[in-house]
């Protein structure tokens, strides 16, 4: 009987040894997998001319970074519909079969480059502060899911949604676009469940000092960030997308690498290194938080090169008659969408169509003017749409001030869950500063060149002006001298 405790202790020790051994084996296996991927993914040869726009522009659109604005207000004004690669954003998968296309904008990750002519492709992207991006992702998922609450129950919402999507062949639903095809249905189901539970008195009404913790109306933020779906689709999502390792990847080993990094966070540094290297090789890296400078920089670094090419091929300017692709959904009405207009309020993403025909753009200044006008229209449309959606879950109202009321422990948890993205964002800020220095130097060089050219042009005219002054003086003196001689001869 006395041996029983010792025997139990021995069994416990043996089980611990087995567990430690299995953990070691798991780490060794994962280390092998991640190292193999990193070795294959490393870009050993740097492009010396990375700032030169190539034949195909790949806009790697990271969700909730303001990329739709660039797509609608820059790229659609710089490229014609015929120049857009087929099915940008559409149905999750990009179709590279369209010949001679010049631009693709998509939520696909970097692995899409394997389907493109790499030596003829330039990549651009925009990064956002990772914590702000998590906030925005949560808010947008709630906002889009809330559009379905016009229906009495989830069954009715699903039937109407499916019927509308079957009938329309020209409208892209948010539910077709990664990652919203996963996040919105999840949040939609949760909203309906909470509404029913609240009606039955199963959820207590909260005091709405923190709109991110409204358990009786919507999923609280702290619950959202700890859900498996958030770990799969959101946390460190910037790094995984730039590395080409999302659950939407074209790589066969993407899932295994991603799971290994989650299981053994120290291996994430290998993925981070690849992501940093890819940012370094991109034509342009913008920052959402510095959107004005980013827009001006994009116009100078990318837009100017596209404009220069379009001048040699005038037919490449956008034509309003061709803007009929699935991405250009219905134009935003002047008045907010009515409650009974279920199709518009539920199916299309934040409407980004421009009802006015695009003007022919010839200069950077014209491009920026068009961009600013377009951005204002989009912002107004987004505000109207958000107002209509969120009033269905009143008093929830997401604002920058409301974000400031989120408890620090929740914010700290968000930082820890997105540690790779936090590091990659710092690297992107460094690249952005280098781009700014480059732009400043180019502006100085252009200014000096302009002054030099002006001086060269002005120099001959200065001689002409001098002659124009001296010749009359010389003639006047000659006349005076002749008169004096004539006067002396008469005397």
């Amino acid at each position: 009987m006395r041996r029983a405790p010792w025997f139990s202790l021995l069994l416990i020790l043996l089980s611990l040894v087995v567990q430690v051994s299995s953990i070691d084996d798991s780490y060794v296996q994962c280390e092998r997998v991640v190292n193999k991927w990193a070795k294959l993914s490393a870009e050993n040869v740097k492009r010396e001319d990375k700032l030169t726009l190539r034949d195909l522009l790949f806009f790697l659109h990271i969700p909730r970074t303001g990329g739709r604005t660039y797509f609608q207000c820059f790229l659609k004004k710089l490229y014609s519909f015929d120049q857009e690669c087929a099915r940008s954003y559409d149905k999750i998968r990009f179709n590279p079969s369209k010949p001679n296309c010049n631009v693709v904008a998509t939520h696909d990750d970097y692995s899409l480059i394997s389907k493109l002519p790499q030596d003829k492709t330039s990549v651009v992207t925009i990064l956002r502060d990772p914590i702000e991006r998590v906030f925005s992702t949560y808010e947008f998922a709630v906002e889009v899911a809330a559009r379905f609450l016009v229906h009495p129950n989830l069954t009715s919402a699903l039937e109407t949604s499916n019927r509308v999507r079957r009938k329309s062949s020209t409208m892209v639903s948010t539910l077709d676009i990664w990652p919203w095809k996963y996040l919105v249905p999840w949040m939609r189901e949760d909203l309906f469940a909470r509404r029913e539970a609240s009606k039955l008195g199963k959820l207590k009404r909260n005091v709405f000092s923190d709109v991110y913790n409204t358990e009786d109306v919507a999923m609280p933020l702290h619950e959202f960030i700890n859900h498996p779906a958030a770990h799969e689709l959101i946390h460190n999502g910037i790094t995984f997308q730039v590395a080409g390792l999302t659950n939407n990847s074209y790589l066969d080993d993407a899932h295994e690498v991603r799971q290994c990094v989650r299981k053994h966070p120290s291996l994430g540094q290998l993925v981070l290194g690849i992501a940093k290297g890819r940012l370094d090789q991109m034509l342009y890296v913008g920052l959402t938080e510095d959107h004005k400078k980013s827009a001006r920089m994009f116009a100078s670094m990318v837009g100017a090169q596209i404009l220069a090419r379009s001048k040699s091929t005038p037919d490449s300017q956008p034509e309003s008659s061709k803007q009929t692709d699935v991405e250009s959904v219905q134009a935003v009405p002047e008045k907010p969408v009515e409650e009974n207009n279920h199709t518009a309020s539920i199916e299309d993403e934040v409407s980004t169509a421009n009802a006015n025909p695009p003007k022919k753009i010839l200069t950077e200044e014209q491009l920026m003017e068009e961009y600013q006008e377009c951005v204002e229209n989009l912002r107004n449309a987004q505000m109207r749409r958000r107002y209509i959606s969120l009033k269905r879950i009143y008093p929830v109202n997401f604002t920058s001030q409301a974000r400031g009321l989120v408890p620090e422990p929740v914010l700290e948890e968000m930082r820890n869950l997105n540690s790779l993205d936090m590091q990659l964002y710092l690297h992107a800020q460094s690249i952005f500063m280098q781009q700014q220095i480059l732009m400043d130097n180019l502006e100085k060089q252009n200014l000096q060149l302009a002054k030099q050219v002006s001086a060269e042009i002005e120099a001959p005219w200065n001689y002409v002006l001098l002659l124009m002054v001296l010749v009359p003086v010389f003639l006047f003196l000659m006349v005076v001298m002749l008169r004096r001689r004539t006067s002396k001869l008469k005397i």
Side-chain angles (χ1 to χ4, degrees):
M1 295 294 292
R2 293 180 180 179
R3 293 181 180 179
W6 289 102
F7 183 72
S8 299
L9 181 60
L10 181 61
L11 289 177
I12 293 172
L13 290 173
L14 285 173
S15 65
L16 289 174
V17 170
V18 170
Q19 288 178 13
V20 170
S21 177
S22 63
I23 291 173
D24 289 342
D25 290 342
S26 171
Y27 179 81
V28 170
Q29 174 64 20
C30 276
E31 186 179 34
R32 187 181 299 114
V33 168
V34 178
N35 272 314
K36 179 182 178 182
W37 167 83
K39 185 176 180 180
L40 292 173
S41 302
E43 296 181 2
N44 297 320
V45 180
K46 292 187 177 181
R47 289 181 177 176
E48 297 298 332
D49 60 341
K50 71 165 192 169
L51 298 179
T52 300
L53 176 66
R54 295 171 180 262
D55 295 339
L56 177 62
L57 180 65
F58 170 24
F59 177 32
L60 179 65
H61 179 187
I62 297 168
R64 308 314 295 167
T65 59
R68 283 283 174 151
T69 302
Y70 273 57
F71 180 61
Q72 290 295 329
C73 300
F74 271 139
L75 298 181
K76 275 189 170 291
K77 295 182 182 299
L78 290 166
Y79 289 101
S80 70
F81 172 66
D82 289 338
Q83 291 176 292
E84 291 181 30
C85 298
R87 297 172 64 138
S88 291
Y89 291 110
D90 183 23
K91 309 301 181 187
I92 305 303
R93 279 290 185 259
F94 160 69
N95 178 7
S97 62
K98 182 177 179 180
N100 302 320
C101 60
N102 298 115
V103 60
V104 55
T106 175
H107 283 318
D108 278 299
D109 62 30
Y110 195 91
S111 65
L112 176 63
I113 203 79
S114 64
K115 305 293 182 181
L116 306 174
Q118 296 187 34
D119 59 333
K120 296 181 180 180
T121 302
S122 293
V123 187
V124 298
T125 193
I126 309 169
L127 271 69
R128 185 175 188 176
D129 177 271
I131 305 308
E132 293 298 307
R133 198 183 81 91
V134 173
F135 270 119
S136 183
T137 302
Y138 168 78
E139 293 166 3
F140 188 68
V142 172
E143 175 191 338
V144 177
R147 299 175 192 170
F148 292 86
L149 293 177
V150 295
H151 295 279
N153 53 58
L154 180 60
T155 302
S156 173
L158 293 175
E159 290 176 351
T160 303
S161 175
N162 292 334
R163 185 171 62 252
V164 170
R165 292 169 68 190
R166 283 194 301 268
K167 287 182 178 180
S168 178
S169 60
T170 61
M171 183 169 59
V172 176
S173 169
T174 307
L175 301 179
D176 293 325
I177 300 174
W178 183 90
W180 311 115
K181 67 166 299 190
Y182 301 107
L183 293 175
V184 172
W186 163 45
M187 188 62 70
R188 176 179 60 191
E189 184 176 348
D190 182 82
L191 286 178
F192 274 102
R194 290 178 190 275
R195 187 170 74 173
E196 292 303 314
S198 295
K199 288 179 180 178
L200 297 174
K202 296 181 180 180
L203 293 176
K204 295 181 180 180
R205 167 68 66 173
N206 291 335
V207 177
F208 288 93
S209 58
D210 180 5
V211 298
Y212 296 93
N213 188 24
T214 56
E215 186 178 358
D216 61 316
V217 178
M219 181 185 298
L221 177 63
H222 65 83
E223 184 178 332
F224 175 83
I225 63 175
N226 284 293
H227 194 279
H231 285 274
E232 179 70 7
L233 296 164
I234 302 169
H235 300 319
N236 290 320
I238 301 175
T239 304
F240 286 132
Q241 192 167 351
V242 175
L245 294 173
T246 67
N247 70 335
N248 194 36
S249 177
Y250 288 86
L251 302 178
D252 294 334
D253 56 351
H255 176 76
E256 187 177 9
V257 174
R258 195 170 63 253
Q259 295 308 314
C260 279
V261 170
R262 291 208 177 93
K263 192 173 182 180
H264 305 286
S266 62
L267 297 176
Q269 293 302 312
L270 291 169
V271 176
L272 179 65
I274 296 297
K276 286 181 176 180
R278 287 178 173 168
L279 288 185
D280 289 337
Q281 296 304 309
M282 289 186 184
L283 169 61
Y284 163 87
V285 176
L287 300 177
T288 305
E289 283 71 27
D290 221 335
H291 62 277
K292 289 184 178 179
K293 285 185 180 178
S294 291
R296 172 59 68 179
M297 198 178 291
F298 184 90
S300 297
M301 296 181 68
V302 184
Q305 295 190 64
I306 301 171
L307 289 173
R309 293 185 180 184
S310 67
K311 289 176 182 177
S312 61
T313 54
D315 293 338
S316 65
Q317 280 291 321
E319 297 178 17
S320 59
S321 61
K322 294 181 179 179
Q323 298 290 334
T324 57
D325 59 304
V326 292
E327 187 62 23
S328 296
V329 294
Q330 299 171 354
V332 181
E334 290 300 321
K335 296 181 180 180
V337 182
E338 296 297 331
E339 287 290 330
N340 60 357
N341 190 348
H342 296 171
T343 301
S345 63
I346 291 176
E347 286 303 317
D348 56 345
E349 198 179 12
V350 174
S351 185
T352 52
N354 189 349
N356 299 319
K359 301 174 183 177
K360 190 175 182 66
I361 299 172
L362 298 174
T363 66
E364 284 183 45
E365 290 304 320
Q366 288 179 334
L367 178 61
M368 285 305 300
E369 289 173 4
E370 286 285 297
Y371 170 81
Q372 291 165 2
E373 182 181 351
C374 177
V375 167
E376 187 64 27
N377 291 336
L378 291 182
R379 186 178 291 114
N380 292 336
Q382 291 166 356
M383 289 174 63
R384 291 196 296 268
R385 190 169 296 280
R386 171 167 281 203
Y387 169 77
I388 292 168
S389 295
L390 294 186
K391 74 178 183 179
R392 297 184 182 116
I393 51 175
Y394 178 82
V396 171
N397 184 28
F398 301 124
T399 63
S400 57
Q401 291 79 9
R403 291 182 184 182
L405 298 176
V406 173
E408 181 59 31
V410 177
L411 297 176
E412 185 60 29
E413 187 173 14
M414 291 164 67
R415 295 187 194 102
N416 292 334
L417 290 169
N418 292 275
S419 60
L420 295 178
D421 280 2
M422 298 290 286
Q423 296 174 70
L424 187 63
Y425 184 70
L426 288 174
H427 188 71
Q429 288 178 311
S430 175
I431 294 174
F432 189 79
M433 289 179 63
Q434 294 172 21
Q435 290 176 169
Q436 186 63 57
I437 293 171
L438 176 64
M439 293 306 302
D440 291 343
N441 290 337
L442 286 175
E443 287 183 8
K444 289 179 181 177
Q445 291 177 9
N446 290 336
L447 183 60
Q448 291 175 353
L449 181 61
K451 288 181 178 179
Q452 183 179 349
V453 171
S454 177
E456 291 175 356
I457 293 174
E458 289 177 359
W461 284 104
N462 289 336
Y463 290 116
V464 171
L465 291 174
L466 182 61
L467 288 173
M468 290 175 65
V469 173
L470 293 177
V471 167
V473 172
F474 177 75
L475 292 174
F476 176 76
L477 291 175
M478 289 294 293
V479 171
V480 171
M481 290 176 65
L482 286 172
R483 285 183 178 179
R484 286 181 178 177
R485 289 181 179 178
T486 305
S487 176
K488 289 181 179 178
L489 289 172
K490 286 181 179 181
I491 295 172

